[in-house]
């Protein structure tokens, strides 16, 4: 029947549009009470005291938890968020909006009212709010990529060769702080039963949340259960277990009742990470023919105070591997500010990094008077120039060709301001996309009952991308059972463990386990059939049997699987499998690729920029479901259009307070901002990377979009804007 590769509808689609899909905050837990966070109003200093009498005397108030009475939590290993400020462990204030108290009351309204009556007194310290002013004090990340590689790399002699270039570029590119803004707010319900903790929380990884909470409360992992059957997106913001989840559990222990804590939209700007601001210095040199001879990419990214943890945006990682160049250096540095801890946000590293690199590549092509695609092809990396490994697969040439054809790239005239529609300037820009292919260990359990119904279980997460759907397709093909008979369960830490749904790794990690567990079940069913007297297949081998539509089909006859279970008196049959990456990472460089084409229309008098067309062509390996894949592709491109023209978190330099903590003033694209997007899936099947041949598709389509648009804006206007978002005032010169 081959379900893999089919555009089936989302299995959870109907549940979501009818409201039947239950998000963590929607679970009814008897006796639940409500917690509301109180946040600091200064960016640096310390708390000198609380005035709580008024709040305490208000109706329904059960507790006000502050650093004075919160009690100590432990600091588990490998938890990126520190225990200092945000978990009420001391009086230090490290950023504006830091949680300083939790008010618990019978109703949400009572908790909100009392929270607004909490008075905090502070001594105010000097706040570092300007990254540019602090660049000179940038520091080397201590745990870059979890210590798996150094933050810097060097090949050849980039500095010595730069000056010999016939064409040289030395430019700085800047991207702002951006916030994820998932539709569903971060939310937790925490309930203790003795020393056992149950938590319904919005998370991209129930296993990570379980480990973090167990560590913080000093209890066994087995005594923490984390549930999240549906997620209203995360984009990276729900990858870590952030302080509000911990504070909900702390509050529940404090009042000995289940506690619900849902963040306001404004609180989501200081409670759960953001994409750091980046300042990226690029130096590129090429010979007269357009061969790159020197590349340097120095990346500075903004951070919180170091005591809160560490997050380094890997802005220059794509630069290492994307083009062949013998002399190259990259560095990553952090700049500590009085801000909350940044984190992964869709296409972390590559989204801002490739904006800088692919803008710089466009500038080089212009200076060389070369076609931008021609220039990329001239420097095409046939093998990974960073680690000298072959690519597991790379269909980037096909992305360029198919994207250019669909876009009509050859009709572009190279000269800036040379294309118009009436008075409107038309610009066409191009950029490359790439994102690493990741995979981690995962485990799956599968069970079939006497009616032939199948349950497949894995503690993975569907962040809105289609995990429920594609895993059901994989199980269906392996088991020979129609999708309607399969239920895929996820989002529960009691299920077999899987990695966080981040880094575009879910399908590559989990699908092989689904396949292996289902294959193990098929083998068990065949063994049952071979041993069954009625079937008359004794002495035959498994290979003589196959399974299709719930039947075991063998020589001369077919047996319904339910009948086999009944004959053998088995209530059900089950199997488990664990899978993990093999030696492929040692052998290959694994990446997805893409080509992004943007057309913009710019009003030359008013500077208004509209994206009028967009084409993206992608090599994401094997595609399990073209329909959910297209949703990812247009979602990523839309995210990239937001990055290019709209999104920017603004902090008041004086108070260190974020001023646009809402979706009215933090601009994001709406339907009217988004043109018809054409997506092309370039046929590829990367079995070198994993058994399903997939490369991951969540982050790839966002990468390069901002550069393609910036390059199109240059082509339309002749103005090179080296920062995003590109605003009206940037092109009115
Ligand atoms: Mo993605 S930013 O790795 O959730």
């Amino acid at each position: 029947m081959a379900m893999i590769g089919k555009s089936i509808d989302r299995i959870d689609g109907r549940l979501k549009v009818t409201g039947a899909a239950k998000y963590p905050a929607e679970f009814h837990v008897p006796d639940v009470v409500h917690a509301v966070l109180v946040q600091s109003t200064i960016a640096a200093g310390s708390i000198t005291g609380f005035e709580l009498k008024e709040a305490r005397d208000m109706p329904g108030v059960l507790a006000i938890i502050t650093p004075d009475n919160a009690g100590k939590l432990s600091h588990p290993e490998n938890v990126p968020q520190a225990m200092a400020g945000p978990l009420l462990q001391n009086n230090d204030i490290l950023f504006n909006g830091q949680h300083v108290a939790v008010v618990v009351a019978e109703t949400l309204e009572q908790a909100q009212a009392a929270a607004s009556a909490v008075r905090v007194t502070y001594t105010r310290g000097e706040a570092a709010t300007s990254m540019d002013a602090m660049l000179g004090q940038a520091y080397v990340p201590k745990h870059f990529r979890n210590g798996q590689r150094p933050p810097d790399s060097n090949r050849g002699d980039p500095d010595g060769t730069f000056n010999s270039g016939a064409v040289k570029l030395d430019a700085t590119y800047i991207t702002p702080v951006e916030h994820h803004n998932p539709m569903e707010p971060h939310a937790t319900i925490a309930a203790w039963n003795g020393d056992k903790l149950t938590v319904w929380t919005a998370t991209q990884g129930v296993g990570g949340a379980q480990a973090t909470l167990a560590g913080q409360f000093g209890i066994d992992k087995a005594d923490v259960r984390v549930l999240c059957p549906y997620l209203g997106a995360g984009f990276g913001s729900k990858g870590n277990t952030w302080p509000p989840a911990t504070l909900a559990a702390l509050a529940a222990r404090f009042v000995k009742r289940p506690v619900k804590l849902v963040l306001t939209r404004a609180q989501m700007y200081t409670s759960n990470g953001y994409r750091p601001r980046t300042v990226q210095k690029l130096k590129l040199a090429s010979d007269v023919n357009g061969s790159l001879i020197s590349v340097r990419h120095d990346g500075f990214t903004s951070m919180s105070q170091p005591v809160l943890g560490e997050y380094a945006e890997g802005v220059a990682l794509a630069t290492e591997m994307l083009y062949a160049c013998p002399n190259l250096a990259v560095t990553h540095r952090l700049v500590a500010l009085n801000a909350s801890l940044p984190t992964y946000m869709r296409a972390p590293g590559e989204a801002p990094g490739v904006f800088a690199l692919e803008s710089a590549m466009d500038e080089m092509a212009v200076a060389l008077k070369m076609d931008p695609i021609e220039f990329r092809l001239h420097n095409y990396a046939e093998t990974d120039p960073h680690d000298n490994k072959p690519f597991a697969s790379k269909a980037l040439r096909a992305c360029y060709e198919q994207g250019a054809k669909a876009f009509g790239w050859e009709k572009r005239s190279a000269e800036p301001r040379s294309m118009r529609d009436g008075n409107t300037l038309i610009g066409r820009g191009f950029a490359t996309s790439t994102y690493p292919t990741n995979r981690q260990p995962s485990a799956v359990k599968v069970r079939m009952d006497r009616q032939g119904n199948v349950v497949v279980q894995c503690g993975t997460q569907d962040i809105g991308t289609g995990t429920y759907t594609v895993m059901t397709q994989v199980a269906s093909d392996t088991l020979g059972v129609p999708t309607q008979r399969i239920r895929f369960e996820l989002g529960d830490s009691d299920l077999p463990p899987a990695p966080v749904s981040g880094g575009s790794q879910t399908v590559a990690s989990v699908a092989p386990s689904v396949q292996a567990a289902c294959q193990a079940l098929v083998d068990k069913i065949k063994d049952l059939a071979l041993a069954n007297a009625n079937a008359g297949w004794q002495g035959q081998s498994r290979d003589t049997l196959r399974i299709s539509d719930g039947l075991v089909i063998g020589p001369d006859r077919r047996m319904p699987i339910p009948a086999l279970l009944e004959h053998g008196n088995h209530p059900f049959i089950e199997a488990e499998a664990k899978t993990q990456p093999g030696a492929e990472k040692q052998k290959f460089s694994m990446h997805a690729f893409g080509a992004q084409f943007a057309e913009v229309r710019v009003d030359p008098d008013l500077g208004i920029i509209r994206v009028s067309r967009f084409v993206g062509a992608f090599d994401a390996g094997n595609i399990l479901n073209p329909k959910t894949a297209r949703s990812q592709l247009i979602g990523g491109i839309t995210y990239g259009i937001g990055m290019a023209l709209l999104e920017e978190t603004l902090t008041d330099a004086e108070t260190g307070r974020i001023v646009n903590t809402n979706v009215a003033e933090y601009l994001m694209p709406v339907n009217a901002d988004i043109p018809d997007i054409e997506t092309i899936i370039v046929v590829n099947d990367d079995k070198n990377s994993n058994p399903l041949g997939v490369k991951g598709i969540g982050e790839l389509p966002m990468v390069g979009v901002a550069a393609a648009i910036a390059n199109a804006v240059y082509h339309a206007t002749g103005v090179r804007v080296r920062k995003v978002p590109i605003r009206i005032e940037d092109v009115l010169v």
Side-chain angles (χ1 to χ4, degrees):
M1 64 189 100
M3 293 307 297
I4 293 178
K6 255 196 173 168
S7 281
I8 69 165
D9 289 346
R10 241 165 232 272
I11 278 165
D12 49 334
R14 191 180 174 82
L15 294 174
K16 282 188 168 171
V17 297
T18 57
K22 246 185 180 179
Y23 293 85
E26 298 178 321
F27 280 80
H28 287 283
V29 178
D31 217 24
V32 74
V33 293
H34 298 265
V36 167
L37 297 168
V38 179
Q39 298 170 277
S40 72
T41 54
I42 65 165
S46 58
I47 300 166
T48 51
F50 289 89
E51 291 165 29
L52 301 176
K53 186 171 182 336
E54 186 193 345
R56 254 191 208 125
D57 291 344
M58 289 172 74
V61 173
L62 297 167
I64 302 175
I65 308 166
T66 70
D68 297 332
N69 60 356
K72 290 291 164 224
L73 295 164
S74 3
H75 189 173
E77 293 290 308
N78 304 321
V79 173
Q81 316 92 285
M83 300 296 294
L87 289 172
L88 310 180
Q89 297 294 291
N90 60 43
N91 286 322
D92 298 343
I93 298 296
L94 303 171
F95 60 91
N96 201 317
Q98 177 181 320
H99 317 121
V100 295
V102 184
V103 177
V104 190
E106 292 284 349
T107 71
L108 175 61
E109 293 75 9
Q110 288 169 337
Q112 285 168 333
S116 68
V118 169
R119 297 284 170 267
V120 190
T121 53
Y122 304 97
T123 52
R124 195 182 292 254
E126 181 112 7
T129 59
S130 164
M131 181 182 178
D132 293 331
M134 300 286 294
L135 274 187
Q137 293 166 59
Y139 62 101
V140 181
K142 290 183 187 65
H143 313 285
F144 192 68
R145 315 298 281 187
N146 292 322
Q148 284 163 11
R149 54 153 291 159
D152 299 356
S153 77
N154 190 92
R155 61 180 186 251
D157 180 13
D159 296 337
T161 50
F162 178 76
N163 280 326
S164 63
V167 172
K168 291 177 288 212
L169 174 77
D170 183 349
T172 300
Y173 302 84
I174 292 173
T175 66
V177 166
E178 296 160 1
H179 275 79
H180 314 75
N181 278 301
M183 246 202 268
E184 178 205 22
H186 292 66
T188 302
I189 302 172
W192 290 88
N193 182 359
D195 284 336
K196 290 188 197 304
L197 174 65
T198 304
V199 172
W200 294 260
T201 191
T203 178
Q204 290 174 229
V206 288
Q210 178 194 38
T212 301
L213 290 166
Q216 288 170 332
F217 289 96
I219 55 179
D220 204 71
K221 247 172 60 167
D223 289 333
V224 180
R225 185 174 183 195
V226 177
L227 294 142
C228 180
Y230 297 99
L231 196 75
F235 306 117
S237 72
K238 292 166 183 163
N240 288 339
T241 305
W242 294 96
T246 309
L247 293 176
L250 183 79
R253 195 174 62 173
F254 204 93
V255 299
K256 300 187 167 52
R257 303 257 303 263
V259 165
K260 183 193 282 201
L261 197 165
V262 180
L263 294 192
T264 63
R265 183 61 55 178
Q267 287 170 339
M268 287 167 67
Y269 283 77
T270 52
S271 301
N272 37 253
Y274 53 90
R275 195 196 299 283
R277 183 171 184 266
T278 77
V279 175
Q280 303 177 59
K281 300 184 177 184
L282 276 93
K283 287 176 80 171
L284 273 65
S286 85
D287 68 14
V288 69
N289 299 317
S291 296
L292 287 169
I293 56 173
S294 170
V295 172
R296 172 172 270 285
H297 190 161
D298 294 309
F300 299 81
T301 68
S302 69
M303 247 293 289
S304 66
Q305 290 300 299
V307 70
L308 289 177
E310 183 177 293
Y311 174 74
E313 182 91 4
V315 289
L317 297 178
T319 304
E320 279 179 346
M321 50 66 64
L322 199 47
Y323 299 109
C325 178
N327 306 296
L328 176 141
V330 308
T331 63
H332 293 90
R333 295 291 179 269
L334 298 172
V335 178
L337 300 175
N338 285 98
S340 64
L341 184 66
T343 194
Y344 321 93
M345 179 164 150
R346 196 170 193 171
E350 275 71 10
V354 170
F355 162 70
L357 175 65
E358 286 296 285
S359 294
M361 288 294 284
D362 198 67
E363 294 198 49
M364 290 293 290
V366 168
L368 283 156
K369 297 191 183 359
M370 266 177 101
D371 175 81
I373 300 178
E374 207 41 57
F375 179 51
R376 265 71 162 198
L377 286 169
H378 194 78
N379 292 284
Y380 197 84
E382 300 293 350
T383 56
D384 185 331
H386 174 58
D387 57 16
N388 292 316
K389 288 176 196 161
F391 289 107
S393 75
K394 181 176 180 179
L396 180 55
R397 271 202 188 87
C399 295
Y400 291 158
E401 280 161 22
Q402 293 176 34
K405 184 155 179 267
F407 186 75
W409 182 256
E410 81 288 350
K411 293 195 214 68
R412 171 185 184 266
S413 70
E415 198 57 34
R417 299 182 78 92
S418 65
M419 298 180 75
R420 285 182 188 252
D421 177 5
N423 193 36
T424 303
L425 294 164
I426 294 176
R428 292 181 182 161
F430 157 81
T432 306
S433 170
T434 187
Y435 197 78
T437 298
N438 298 311
R439 182 185 176 190
Q440 285 193 59
S442 158
V444 163
K445 194 170 174 175
V446 54
R447 167 190 287 212
M448 185 188 284
D449 68 16
R450 276 194 192 176
Q451 284 71 48
N453 294 317
V454 175
V455 179
V456 187
Q457 296 180 312
C458 178
T460 181
Q461 190 51 271
D462 188 332
I463 60 177
T465 44
T467 308
Y468 276 114
T469 310
V470 299
M471 294 309 159
T472 303
Q473 291 173 267
V474 173
S476 172
D477 276 0
T478 316
L479 291 172
V481 169
T483 54
Q484 295 80 356
R485 289 224 168 247
I486 299 169
R487 189 170 81 241
F488 193 84
E489 292 181 350
L490 51 72
D492 180 346
S493 61
D494 276 0
L495 302 178
V500 63
S501 283
S504 297
Q505 68 184 346
T506 301
V507 173
S509 304
V510 175
S513 312
V514 173
Q515 256 187 344
C518 291
Q519 189 53 52
L521 190 74
V522 164
D523 288 345
K524 280 189 169 183
I525 292 168
K526 285 182 176 177
D527 289 346
L528 212 56
L530 292 173
N532 185 287
N534 294 343
W537 292 324
Q538 286 106 322
Q540 307 257 21
S541 80
R542 281 179 190 162
D543 302 340
T544 59
L545 307 180
R546 67 189 175 87
I547 291 185
S548 177
D549 276 324
L551 300 167
V552 182
I553 301 168
D556 306 325
R557 63 170 56 75
R558 39 186 61 198
M559 290 282 290
I561 296 170
L564 280 173
L565 292 185
E566 226 156 288
H567 290 162
N569 218 9
H570 301 286
F572 56 81
I573 184 164
E574 63 183 9
E576 277 184 73
K578 282 192 184 118
T579 55
Q580 59 197 25
E584 62 273 3
K585 201 146 202 163
Q586 282 75 57
K587 283 194 263 177
F588 298 109
S589 172
M590 300 185 289
H591 299 267
F593 296 95
Q596 310 274 24
F597 296 83
E599 181 186 88
V600 298
R601 291 177 167 248
V602 183
D603 184 316
D605 304 316
L606 302 177
I608 296 169
I609 306 161
R610 308 288 300 169
V611 178
S612 48
R613 281 199 301 136
F614 205 99
V615 175
F618 303 98
D619 162 22
N622 187 25
I623 299 298
L624 303 191
N625 182 329
K627 187 173 186 175
T628 53
R630 173 159 161 87
S631 291
Q632 286 304 296
L633 297 178
I634 60 177
I637 290 167
T638 301
Y639 226 110
I641 293 172
M643 178 183 182
L645 299 176
L646 298 165
E647 296 193 39
E648 178 172 25
T649 301
L650 296 163
T651 300
D652 176 51
E654 194 60 35
T655 59
R657 189 178 302 177
I658 298 173
V659 296
N660 55 342
T661 58
N662 56 73
V663 294
E665 292 162 297
Y666 182 95
L667 302 181
M668 283 184 285
V670 297
N671 280 339
D673 297 307
I674 303 301
D676 196 27
I677 295 172
E678 182 171 351
T679 57
I680 297 163
I681 289 168
V682 171
V683 176
N684 195 8
D685 190 2
D686 188 351
K687 289 286 195 292
N688 284 333
S689 287
N690 51 66
L692 272 293
V694 300
K695 293 189 177 191
I697 202 168
E699 338 251 1
L700 176 71
M702 175 169 188
V703 180
V705 174
I709 292 170
N711 298 341
V713 167
Y714 170 77
H715 182 237
T717 63
V719 181
R720 178 62 65 178
V721 184
R722 292 182 178 138
K723 59 104 184 167
V724 288
I726 301 169
R727 303 278 204 209
I728 287 171
E729 58 270 30
D730 297 317
V731 295
L732 284 182
V733 288

